[in-house]
Structures are given as structure tokens and as C-alpha cells.
Amino acid sequence: MTRLFHTSHAEQIRLGERIGGGGEGEVYDVAGRDDLVAKIYHEPPQPEKAEKLTVLARLGSERLFRLSAWPVDVLRDRPDGPVVGFSMKKIGDAEEVHTLHSPKSRLLKFPDASWAFLIHVAANIARAVAVMHEHGFVIGDVNPKNILVTRRATIHLLDCDSFQVSENGRTFRCEGGFGEYTPPELQGVAFREVDRTQMHDCFGLAVVIFQLLFMGRHPFSGRYTGAGEMPLERAISERRFAWGADAAHRQMQPPPGTLSLAAIPDEMAELFRRAFLSFNRPQPREWIEPLEHLSQALKRCSLHSGHHYFQKLANCPWCDIEMRARIRLFNFAFGKAGQPGQNFRLDEIWRQIESVPVPPAPLLSPDRTLDELQPSPEAMEIARTRTSRHWLSLFFAAICGFVIGLVTDFPLAIWLLALAGLLAKKISKVDTAVPQMQTLFQNQQVPQEPDAIRIQTLKEQAETAFRQLEQQWQKEAGSNRFLAGLSELQNRREAWENLTQIREWHLRELESQTREAQLGEFLNQFAIAESDIQDIKPRVKTTLLSRGIETAADVTETNLERLRIDSPLTKRLLRWRQGLEEKFVFDPARDVPHQARLKVEREMDELRLRLEHELSNGATYLRRLEHEIDESRRRLAPLLTEARRRLAQAERDLEAVAKSFSIKPLVFILIMAFFVGTLMEPAQTPAPPAQPANASREKYDPPPRASSKATATALELHRQGRQLMEKEKYFDAAEAFKKAAALDPLVGSQVNLAEAYYRLGWYDAAIATVNEALRIGVSFDHYYILGLAYAGKEQWSEAREALLNALNLRPVADWGAKYTEAYRNLGLAQVKLGEASQAISRLEGAIQDNPNLTIERLELGNLYLWTGNIEGAREQLRELQTRDKVLAEALDNLISRFGIR
């Protein structure tokens, strides 16, 4: 279809987006014109219809354009072509009048509309029809679908190209119409064959006004008391108006639960009787003044602020209808009576919320100068001092070994060599207990001297400061804060959409409580002492009474179990109560008190207003979060960069002072120098006396196994360490585990020691301890702690391998929080290594081949969370909820960790 059309004034218009359509044609925006729309017919109209459109466009005026969708100009697909459509003024933010009829649609589309609002709308419709009649037009097809109303009660008439219009002695008829809005004299008549009059419009107008005032009820749709059926069109043709005191003479009764004709002023009732029972129907302007008088004669219900009714009535009719029909007609009014509230359109508000972009993941630019950092002068001086002492100790060991070998004999030489080794070790300050001297740097030995320990302390302080700033960055500058706010708004949207279900649930609770109360009153009438219960003897009744079981209402499973009544007696008592319950009849007349129902309604209205307020401000709230996140990034970025630089400098300094000097070279030089000295002895040393032939040779025994007492002590220390871990006293726990491991390495304290180091943030110490523990045994916990420690150091490749090893060792029979945490950190490592996309593709392929996979769904959902695919993670959660409840709970916990619901 062409998008370019021509007007009768030789102007060109281009179609924009399609905004609606119907049986005749479709409606489009006009490009470059915010005030116009174009209706293009599916097929070019017949010449008579085309001429009618031309006449309508020629008769148009600003008054008609404001009041209706009146044709502004005809449209042709070429300058001399046939008429294919027409342009008209654009009408926005309006609904068809029939949405005000049904309580459900009215509460949804017009939540603040009261009966006063409906009266105001009816008066405006009468004004609009009056204007059309004053211009000499006949609407013909008067019905609520051809009338639009805004939340300000403004009226717009539609389908103007079907109006009956006359010009130059020629009449263009209205060929459409609905039977329920057609007057009796035109029922069954072909509209294309008759000229309608304005009096025919008056009937349709009266029906529209009646339906607005009487909650969508049709004036001829009632209960027929005669024989057979009474279709609506027949009732209209026979003038069987179903309201009024004389409706019985017409064999009609109004439907139950409807407003009575006596609920409106007599002058209004008389207008309806004229419209439906005579040919002297009220003209449109005859309705305006009575409707305005009714609007001014309303009073507000003392129980329900949203109920307005004619002031001469003794009681509120809406309260009675709502209580009997158990429906909600109007919301509570929290503003001025009779005035519509703010326009709340969830779809538009949510589009505004979704238009606020999610802040991108915070990324600090890499500082390449960190790789060029050199140790500080202080650290270099400490390192040079240690190196000098090391060479001095080697020289001292060489001299001592040579002299001892030169001048001494066995066994004295052995003792002297040991003494010389200790002195050389003291000069070098080499510590032989390397595994017990691990720090945050694996396999590095920090010298136990004040300057070196101070460097180590500075490094730990720098690392702590950096971790704290990093956590603050993630909390204040991360995208999760924004996503959490968006998730809160999503929850409020779901609550608003489910307000009807929430209200019904509260009302059902009230009804259930009322029924339970009546049942309790009924059962309290049957005293155990006076009742004949099968196989229950008087002494048993006395025992029951002494325990507080006095009536049938007291006979409940909970009471009987609490009092430890034996099973046979319990069954007999419960059967007795059940038999009484079968005789209970609920009394509807004593239903939930109206005040209790109104209390629920009021609470639901307050909830609705609160949700609407929060959602209406949702986009502003998200933009404020976005601004705060941006401000936090600007504020924290230089601080975090500086903290990272201080940490890198501290690491360089510690690397310099923590250079490992092994004791092996010292021992080797001492022994070699001893042998050299021995070979250069000045005189032959006499051989030692021969030992007797039966002298026993000295044997070397391996170190003894830990005694049972040592093992018991180690187990007790291990237990104390676990208790301290539960209290988050990680430093004290580490000391207990360290002592336990020294007493008996087989009690398993080393992996717990590694966990304590990890909780303290001493990641290198944790890694070293796990590697030492792996010499004794292998388990999930070993590699799990190792993976967490590598993740803490941001060594993602090592973290990934350790976590994969851990998960391969996971027991199949159970599931715990640490397995969920292992998958969470594995996903983080894969994201950091850039492997997330490949892993996602692999898992998606595996699940596609075998949809019954569960662990793979958990792993895939975790990766979706790390890569921002929240809906994908929720989809995997829904699948797991049907396949594996345990893994579904694990994935749900991961989703909660990301602040998403």
C-alpha cells in the first residue's frame, strides 16, 4: 500500500505508524503532524459514500473537530484519483464509554471515578449530541462504542462518516446501528432504506445515559414474568421498560442487585419514562439541567468515601448492592468528592521506567604503571642487609667447618659442627620451620625481624584498605544497586496488577473467619458432660473436663495431642465432633459485617494509591539511583586507584624483603669445609679402639606416631577451633587449628586452618596451608578453600581449576550451601577469564540434547546471572522447580544474591 496521499487542497500527507483498525479500514498517524490521523478504507468507498465524505469535510468546523472525529479532508492516492480515506483530528488518552459500565473495567481504566463522575459524563454526552442536532445532523448509530471519554470527562464522538447528513436537498443516510440502542419504531427496519430523525437519536441517548447511571444495566433488560422468552429487541419494540413502580404491568422486573428508579430525582425518572414509554422523547438539552441538579444534590456515604448518592435517600444504595452482590463498584475517594484523580496508566509509566538505562558494569581502567613499580628504598635496604648477612653466614660456616675438621676428632667434631651451624643460622636469621612461617605469599619466608615484619604489616594494611574500598565500590558504584531498585519496582508492578486477587483473598479470609466463628458457636452448644458419646464413660468425661475439654469446640487434634489423650479415645471424640459438624448450617444472614468488608476495601485502596505513587515516581527514583551511582564512581575511582597502587607497592616491597634463603647451602658449605679440613690434618690421628664383636650397632628409628593423648588433645583443639569459627573469631580459631595440626596432622585441622586464613583475608597463607594438607588427603573442602583463596587474589585461572577439582569431588548424595557458593565463584572466574560465552554455549547445547539435565541448568543459570541475562536465569529456575527442588532452591538463592526477585 502506498504511504503518500493527496488532500482536496493539493496537499500531500505521508502515513506514519498504524494505530488501529476495524471492519472498514485502518487508522494511521500522519508523519510530521501530531494533531492529525488518517483513516484509510480497505476498499475505495462507493461514489455516494465518497461524496458524503466530501460534504462532511466541507461542513467541518473547529467546534466539530474538538467534539468529534469529524473528517477534516478527504484523501486520494493520486491527485485525480478516487477517495480512499479521510483525515481527522487525533484524540488521545480516551476510552470508550462502555468501559464505565462494568465495575472491573471501570476500576481498571477509571480507578477514581465515582457516581458523580458518571453523572458528569452523561451530561457531557447530552451536550455533544445537542451540538450535532443544532448543526442539523442525525447521528443515527448512537451507542457507547462510538463515544470516547477522557479522565476529565471530556467527550469525543466517533464514526462521524456514518452520520446522516443532508445538503442541497440530498440526504446521505446512516446505514449502521445496534438493536439495543434502536427505538421501537425502527426495530427490524433496514437502516439504508429509511431517513432517520433526531428523535430516533434521543432514544439511543437516553439508553446511554441510563446505562451510565445504572451501572451498565439496559433499561429493557430485566426479568420477564410472562410466558416464554423476551429477547431485548422485542422488549424494546413492545416498550417493556423494566424499571419503575408500574413495571409489573408491563410484566417486567429489574434485575436483582441494581439501583432502583427511586434512587434518582423524580424529574430524572420522568425523563426516562418519556424516553422509553412514549414518542415525546426528551431532547438532548433537556437532560443537562436535571443531571447537573442531581450532581449538586449528592451526598457522601459515611462508611465509604467513594459512594455518592441522592441526598433524599435514607441509606447508601451502593453499600447494599456491594454487600449483596459481593462486588466492588467504586474505589474509596482520597481527594475532593466527585473529582477524578490523576491519570494512572501503568503501560506508559512502565515504559518510562524501562527507558532509564541500566548503568554499565563499573570497570576501572587498568594501570599499566603498576607493572613498572620498583621496591621502595627502605625495602631495598632491608633486602641488601639480609643478603649481606646470608653471605656472612656462609663465610662463617666455611671457616668453622674447615677449622673443626682440621683440629678436632669425632665425636667432639659432631657437637662443634652443630654449634657452628646454629651460630651461622643465627647470623643469617634463616628459619628452618618454613611451613609454619607462611604469610600471604606462598613459599616465601618473611624474616622475623622488626623491619621486615613492619613491611609485612604495611602490606596487610594496604590489602585490607583496598578490599574495603573494593567492597564499597561494588555496593555504591555497582550496577546491582540499580538492578535491586528496578526489581523493587517490578514487585510493586506485580502487586498492582494482582490487586483484585489480593482483595479477593482478604475477603475470602473474612468469610472463612466468619464461618469458623459460627461453627465454634454451634459446637460450644454441645457440652461433653451432657452429651451421649459412644463408649465414653462418665469417669472419662470427668477426666476430659479436668483437662479443659468441655465442649465439642474444644475437641481438636491439637488439643488432644497436647494433652496426650490415648489414640482410641481421640478417634471416638473426633468422630463425635465430625458428626456434629455435618449438622452445622452456615447462616448467610450473619455474614461478614459490612464494616469489616469496607475496612478491607479501604486498605486495598490505600495500597493501590501507595503503589501508584511509587510506580509513578519509579523513573525519577531510578534516575536518582543512576545519578548517585555515577557520583559514587567519580568519588571512589581515584581512591580505589590509589589504594590499588599502595597495595601493589606494598607487594613489591614484601617480595623484596621476603626473598627465601634456604638453610641447605649453609649446611652444605659447613660439611664440605669440615671434610676439607679433615683431609688437611697436620698429623695422623690414631684410630679409635675397636669395639667388641658383640657390641650392638646404633639404629635410626623414624619419628614415633602421635600418642593417643596427643591425638585426643588435637581433637579437642579442633573442636574448639570449629566453635570459634562459628563465632567468627577467625584469628583465635586459626591458632587452635595450628596447634591441633602440630600435635596430629591426621585429625584434619589443616583444611580448617586454611579456611580460617581465608576468612581473615590471608589468602596466600590459606593457599599454602591447603597445598600442605593435600599431601595427606584430597576432598571437596581442600579444593573449595583453595579456589576461594585464589579468587580472593583475583588469580582467576587458578581459582577456576581449583573449583572444578572441588566440584568433581562433590558428594552426589547431598547438597549444601558451599556447593552453591562453589558454582557461584566458578561462574565469576569464567566471566573474568572471558570464558563465559563458550561455557554458556556448551551448557545450552547439552541441555538441548538432554532437557532432563539439572546440575547443568544450575551452572547455566549462574552464568546467565553473571552476564546480565536475568530472564534466562529465571527460565532455568522455572525448569529446575519441576525437576529438582534442591537445585531450584540453590539457583533461587543465587538470584537473591544478585538482588533480583
Side-chain angles (χ1 to χ4, degrees):
M1 183 186 74
T2 180
R3 310 290 293 185
L4 186 65
F5 293 89
H6 303 265
T7 70
S8 60
H9 298 88
E11 296 177 354
Q12 293 183 347
I13 69 169
R14 187 175 297 276
L15 300 186
E17 296 295 327
R18 179 184 180 275
I19 59 177
E24 281 190 328
E26 296 181 327
V27 181
Y28 298 85
D29 279 323
V30 174
R33 294 290 300 269
D34 294 335
D35 61 329
L36 287 183
V37 294
K39 178 177 179 179
I40 306 299
Y41 292 102
H42 295 308
E43 298 292 337
Q46 296 296 321
E48 183 178 358
K49 180 65 174 286
E51 185 177 354
K52 178 181 180 181
L53 290 173
T54 304
V55 170
L56 290 172
R58 187 165 56 249
L59 295 175
S61 65
E62 285 300 322
R63 188 180 186 189
L64 294 177
F65 295 153
R66 287 194 303 270
L67 191 63
S68 64
W70 196 270
V72 174
D73 202 347
V74 294
L75 299 177
R76 309 172 192 272
D77 55 6
R78 59 183 186 275
D80 57 347
V83 173
V84 295
F86 63 91
S87 61
M88 54 188 170
K89 293 292 184 179
K90 186 173 184 178
I91 302 171
D93 295 331
E95 302 288 345
E96 295 175 356
V97 163
H98 67 83
T99 59
L100 290 170
H101 295 170
S102 164
K104 182 176 181 181
S105 62
R106 181 172 63 252
L107 294 176
L108 178 64
K109 301 290 186 178
F110 297 85
D112 298 307
S114 65
W115 200 48
F117 179 79
L118 302 183
I119 295 170
H120 188 40
V121 171
N124 283 345
I125 293 174
R127 290 185 176 95
V129 175
V131 170
M132 292 299 170
H133 284 187
E134 289 166 5
H135 280 73
F137 305 130
V138 176
I139 296 175
D141 186 13
V142 178
N143 72 82
K145 292 184 69 65
N146 283 344
I147 305 173
L148 294 184
V149 58
T150 69
R151 277 135 187 94
R152 299 174 60 186
T154 305
I155 296 301
H156 299 276
L157 302 180
L158 300 181
D159 204 16
C160 297
D161 55 333
S162 71
F163 284 12
Q164 179 175 297
V165 58
S166 299
E167 187 185 51
N168 297 327
R170 184 176 181 184
T171 299
F172 299 93
R173 293 171 176 165
C174 174
E175 299 181 359
F178 288 88
E180 55 264 42
Y181 300 94
T182 300
E185 63 270 22
L186 293 184
Q187 289 291 329
V189 175
F191 298 133
R192 69 175 63 91
E193 299 175 358
V194 64
D195 290 341
R196 302 197 206 187
T197 68
Q198 292 181 350
M199 190 59 67
H200 297 152
D201 285 351
C202 293
F203 180 86
L205 172 62
V207 175
V208 170
I209 294 175
F210 187 92
Q211 287 184 307
L212 279 170
L213 270 56
F214 287 78
M215 304 291 103
R217 296 292 186 177
H218 195 282
F220 293 87
S221 177
R223 179 172 174 268
Y224 177 56
T225 59
E229 298 292 330
M230 179 57 64
L232 182 60
E233 287 78 3
R234 177 186 165 193
I236 293 173
S237 65
E238 296 178 2
R239 291 183 172 82
R240 295 185 184 274
F241 180 40
W243 269 256
D246 57 347
H249 295 295
R250 296 184 289 275
Q251 295 182 296
M252 296 295 289
Q253 293 179 354
T258 57
L259 194 67
S260 167
L261 199 63
I264 61 176
D266 292 341
E267 60 176 335
M268 287 287 301
E270 181 57 30
L271 288 178
F272 283 125
R273 293 180 61 83
R274 282 177 54 194
F276 303 137
L277 298 176
S278 73
F279 288 103
N280 183 27
R281 298 173 186 130
Q283 295 296 318
R285 292 211 173 271
E286 290 186 65
W287 290 99
I288 298 174
E289 186 175 348
L291 286 169
E292 290 178 343
H293 288 168
L294 175 58
S295 180
Q296 296 167 3
L298 298 179
K299 67 177 180 180
R300 179 181 288 181
C301 175
S302 60
L303 295 177
H304 194 305
S305 60
H307 288 175
H308 299 83
Y309 59 96
F310 185 37
Q311 61 185 6
K312 292 186 178 180
L313 298 181
N315 299 307
C316 173
W318 307 121
C319 286
D320 182 66
I321 293 173
E322 286 188 342
M323 181 176 64
R324 291 178 181 277
R326 297 188 180 182
I327 60 173
R328 186 180 195 181
L329 297 176
F330 302 102
N331 286 324
F332 281 82
F334 292 92
K336 185 177 178 181
Q339 295 297 321
Q342 294 296 323
N343 180 11
F344 181 79
R345 298 184 66 88
L346 179 61
D347 51 351
E348 295 178 3
I349 289 172
W350 195 252
R351 280 197 296 270
Q352 294 175 6
I353 290 173
E354 289 182 326
S355 68
V356 182
V358 179
L363 296 175
L364 290 176
S365 56
D367 189 353
R368 293 184 173 82
T369 62
L370 297 181
D371 297 332
E372 302 173 1
L373 287 176
Q374 298 296 324
S376 65
E378 181 184 10
M380 293 297 294
E381 181 61 29
I382 296 173
R384 283 193 293 270
T385 301
R386 291 195 66 228
T387 302
S388 299
R389 284 202 305 265
H390 179 64
W391 286 108
L392 180 60
S393 67
L394 294 178
F395 179 74
F396 176 79
I399 296 299
C400 289
F402 180 78
V403 172
I404 292 171
L406 184 64
V407 300
T408 59
D409 300 323
F410 287 99
L412 179 61
I414 299 298
W415 293 103
L416 291 177
L417 285 172
L419 179 60
L422 290 174
L423 291 174
K425 173 176 170 291
K426 188 171 184 65
I427 293 172
S428 179
K429 295 188 177 180
V430 172
D431 197 332
T432 57
V434 175
Q436 297 182 8
M437 293 304 299
Q438 302 299 326
T439 66
L440 297 179
F441 285 85
Q442 184 182 8
N443 294 331
Q444 289 183 345
Q445 178 183 348
V446 175
Q448 299 300 296
E449 55 187 52
D451 288 339
I453 293 175
R454 183 164 51 81
I455 295 294
Q456 177 187 353
T457 303
L458 289 176
K459 188 269 176 187
E460 294 173 354
Q461 292 174 349
E463 185 172 38
T464 300
F466 174 74
R467 297 301 177 199
Q468 290 175 347
L469 268 175
E470 192 175 41
Q471 292 175 1
Q472 187 179 1
W473 172 271
Q474 293 297 331
K475 179 180 179 181
E476 299 180 12
S479 302
N480 285 345
R481 183 182 176 191
F482 183 93
L483 294 174
L486 183 59
S487 178
E488 290 175 4
L489 291 173
Q490 177 68 42
N491 292 337
R492 282 157 178 74
R493 175 187 179 181
E494 293 176 358
W496 189 89
E497 291 173 336
N498 293 319
L499 280 174
T500 301
Q501 291 85 341
I502 297 172
R503 169 184 172 273
E504 291 174 353
W505 180 84
H506 281 294
L507 292 177
R508 284 197 300 271
E509 284 292 303
L510 283 178
E511 293 170 358
S512 176
Q513 293 169 8
T514 301
R515 188 185 187 283
E516 289 297 320
Q518 288 190 24
L519 177 61
E521 293 177 4
F522 174 77
L523 294 176
N524 270 325
Q525 301 174 15
F526 300 94
I528 289 180
E530 301 172 0
S531 300
D532 184 15
I533 308 174
Q534 183 180 4
D535 298 330
I536 303 295
K537 298 180 180 179
R539 62 181 182 82
V540 176
K541 293 181 179 181
T542 302
T543 302
L544 292 173
L545 292 174
S546 67
R547 297 186 182 185
I549 308 297
E550 300 177 357
T551 68
D554 299 324
V555 178
T556 64
E557 291 187 14
T558 302
N559 287 343
L560 298 178
E561 290 177 1
R562 177 174 54 83
L563 298 175
R564 298 181 180 179
I565 306 297
D566 62 85
S567 180
L569 178 57
T570 295
K571 292 180 179 178
R572 289 195 295 273
L573 289 171
L574 290 175
R575 280 198 303 270
W576 172 61
R577 175 189 167 116
Q578 184 178 2
L580 294 175
E581 286 181 350
E582 293 174 354
K583 301 176 183 178
F584 168 70
V585 178
F586 177 68
D587 184 5
R590 297 173 58 205
D591 200 356
V592 179
H594 190 53
Q595 290 80 359
R597 288 183 179 275
L598 288 179
K599 182 175 181 294
V600 170
E601 300 287 6
R602 187 177 295 109
E603 291 173 351
M604 294 307 302
D605 271 322
E606 292 172 353
L607 173 61
R608 175 181 63 83
L609 287 178
R610 185 169 68 252
L611 292 173
E612 289 178 358
H613 174 75
E614 293 173 353
L615 287 169
S616 297
N617 293 287
T620 303
Y621 168 64
L622 291 181
R623 280 191 287 269
R624 186 175 72 249
L625 280 182
E626 183 183 27
H627 175 72
E628 291 175 358
I629 291 171
D630 188 56
E631 287 293 324
S632 297
R633 290 179 181 180
R634 283 198 293 268
R635 175 174 53 85
L636 293 175
L639 299 177
L640 191 60
T641 301
E642 180 59 28
R644 178 181 290 173
R645 188 172 186 83
R646 286 198 299 269
L647 175 59
Q649 183 64 62
E651 290 174 345
R652 295 292 187 275
D653 291 349
L654 192 57
E655 288 174 359
V657 303
K659 184 179 179 180
S660 178
F661 293 123
S662 174
I663 198 173
K664 293 179 181 179
L666 190 149
V667 175
F668 177 76
I669 290 177
L670 181 64
I671 294 174
M672 291 302 297
F674 170 75
F675 281 113
V676 171
T678 301
L679 295 175
M680 297 179 64
E681 288 181 341
Q684 185 68 29
T685 302
Q691 294 183 353
N694 59 353
S696 62
R697 295 187 178 183
E698 182 180 355
K699 296 191 299 182
Y700 173 78
D701 295 323
R705 296 176 60 86
S707 66
S708 58
K709 181 177 180 180
T711 299
T713 304
L715 290 172
E716 176 60 22
L717 287 168
H718 182 87
R719 185 186 63 80
Q720 293 175 7
R722 293 308 303 169
Q723 292 177 346
L724 291 168
M725 289 288 286
E726 294 175 357
K727 298 177 181 178
E728 298 184 358
K729 296 182 178 180
Y730 301 125
F731 185 87
D732 296 337
E735 292 298 316
F737 289 136
K738 189 186 298 182
K739 292 177 183 178
L743 288 171
D744 191 348
L746 298 179
V747 299
S749 296
Q750 285 179 309
V751 69
N752 291 277
L753 175 60
E755 182 181 0
Y757 282 154
Y758 167 76
R759 298 298 181 188
L760 289 168
W762 298 355
Y763 303 127
D764 287 319
I767 293 169
T769 304
V770 171
N771 286 331
E772 186 68 18
L774 287 172
R775 300 176 184 176
I776 299 175
V778 176
S779 71
F780 170 90
D781 290 333
H782 288 75
Y783 284 109
Y784 173 63
I785 298 300
L786 186 62
L788 294 181
Y790 276 130
K793 286 174 63 62
E794 298 186 1
Q795 294 182 3
W796 303 112
S797 179
E798 292 83 353
R800 177 197 60 196
E801 295 303 318
L803 291 169
L804 285 173
N805 288 334
L807 292 169
N808 287 335
L809 295 172
R810 178 183 63 81
V812 179
D814 62 350
W815 187 270
K818 57 187 177 181
Y819 305 138
T820 305
E821 187 66 14
Y823 275 107
R824 181 177 184 274
N825 282 275
L826 176 60
L828 175 60
Q830 290 172 322
V831 169
K832 294 292 185 179
L833 292 171
E835 300 173 355
S837 297
Q838 297 92 322
I840 289 173
S841 298
R842 173 179 56 79
L843 291 168
E844 288 175 342
I847 292 172
Q848 185 175 4
D849 293 338
N850 184 2
N852 293 324
L853 296 176
T854 53
I855 287 291
E856 288 77 4
R857 289 189 182 277
L858 170 65
E859 188 176 356
L860 179 58
N862 179 53
L863 285 171
Y864 279 152
L865 290 172
W866 281 114
T867 55
N869 186 357
I870 307 304
E871 189 54 39
R874 287 176 174 154
E875 177 61 26
Q876 296 307 315
L877 174 62
R878 290 190 287 270
E879 292 293 333
L880 283 175
Q881 286 172 340
T882 63
R883 289 179 168 85
D884 192 322
K885 297 294 185 183
V886 174
L887 295 185
E889 183 179 358
L891 182 53
D892 188 46
N893 290 334
L894 288 175
I895 294 175
S896 299
R897 291 281 298 275
F898 279 80
I900 302 166
R901 297 304 306 160

